[in-house]
């Protein structure tokens, strides 16, 4: 041991770097999926506050740690952990793809019987549930 009499030594302890670990390299969803938690996708060694923001509010909106799908498209979720007493803050991004929903068409009748010369058929009325299909009609053959 070395003893130094009447000497002041200043010891500086710097904050450690934060680590943000993401459990998935990207998020793939389908428009119409339910909201999902973001907190179970991220772990950190820093006790600071985790926050999430959306890169495109037309695709994903975020309230607290819950993401809600707003529309189809691609975006990012920005993940940030704030600085704490022993750790520096840090951030990362998670790429997100929200695919369009495949339309489901349910016929109210399994067959259509028409005779040449009869009135036109309104196809939209034959479907009980249809997503964004424009009204189309079949007219008499020419």
């Amino acid at each position: 041991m070395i003893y130094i009499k009447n000497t002041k030594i200043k010891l500086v302890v710097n904050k450690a770097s934060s680590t943000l670990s993401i459990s998935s390299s990207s998020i793939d969803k389908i428009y119409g999926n339910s909201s999902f938690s973001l907190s179970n996708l991220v772990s950190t060694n820093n006790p600071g506050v985790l926050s999430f923001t959306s890169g495109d509010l037309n695709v994903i909106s975020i309230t607290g740690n819950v993401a809600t799908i707003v529309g189809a498209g691609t975006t990012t979720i920005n993940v940030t952990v704030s600085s704490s007493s022993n750790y520096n803050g840090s951030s990362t991004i998670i790429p997100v793809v929200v695919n369009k929903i495949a339309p489901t068409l349910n016929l109210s009748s399994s067959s259509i019987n028409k005779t040449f010369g009869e009135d036109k058929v309104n196809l939209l009325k034959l479907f009980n549930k249809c997503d964004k299909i424009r009204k189309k009609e079949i007219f008499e053959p020419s």
Side-chain angles (χ1 to χ4, degrees), residues 27-39:
I27 298 173
D28 294 312
K29 296 289 183 180
I30 297 173
Y31 178 74
N33 286 159
S34 58
S35 297
F36 56 98
S37 174
L38 298 170
S39 59

Side-chain angles (χ1 to χ4, degrees), residues 53-63 68-71 74-76:
T53 57
S54 174
D56 186 345
L57 294 174
N58 293 313
V59 178
I60 296 282
S61 69
I62 299 173
T63 303
T68 301
I69 297 169
V70 177
T74 59
T75 188
T76 57

Side-chain angles (χ1 to χ4, degrees), residues 25-92:
S25 60
S26 66
I27 298 173
D28 294 312
K29 296 289 183 180
I30 297 173
Y31 178 74
N33 286 159
S34 58
S35 297
F36 56 98
S37 174
L38 298 170
S39 59
N40 59 349
L41 298 175
V42 179
S43 61
T44 181
N45 62 342
N46 182 345
V49 176
L50 271 175
S51 62
F52 304 91
T53 57
S54 174
D56 186 345
L57 294 174
N58 293 313
V59 178
I60 296 282
S61 69
I62 299 173
T63 303
N65 64 351
V66 176
T68 301
I69 297 169
V70 177
T74 59
T75 188
T76 57
I77 293 176
N78 305 301
V79 183
T80 303
V81 61
S82 65
S83 176
S84 63
S85 58
N86 294 319
Y87 292 92
N88 291 315
S90 184
S91 63
T92 191

Side-chain angles (χ1 to χ4, degrees), residues 7 11 13 24 27 30 35 51 63 69 84 93 102 107-108 118:
T7 302
L11 177 63
V13 178
S24 179
I27 298 173
I30 297 173
S35 297
S51 62
T63 303
I69 297 169
S84 63
I93 60 168
L107 286 173
S108 61
E118 288 183 340

Side-chain angles (χ1 to χ4, degrees), residues 90-112:
S90 184
S91 63
T92 191
I93 60 168
I94 306 171
V96 180
V97 175
V98 177
N99 295 298
K100 294 179 181 180
I101 190 170
T104 302
L105 306 175
N106 298 314
L107 286 173
S108 61
S109 174
S110 61
S111 65
I112 301 170

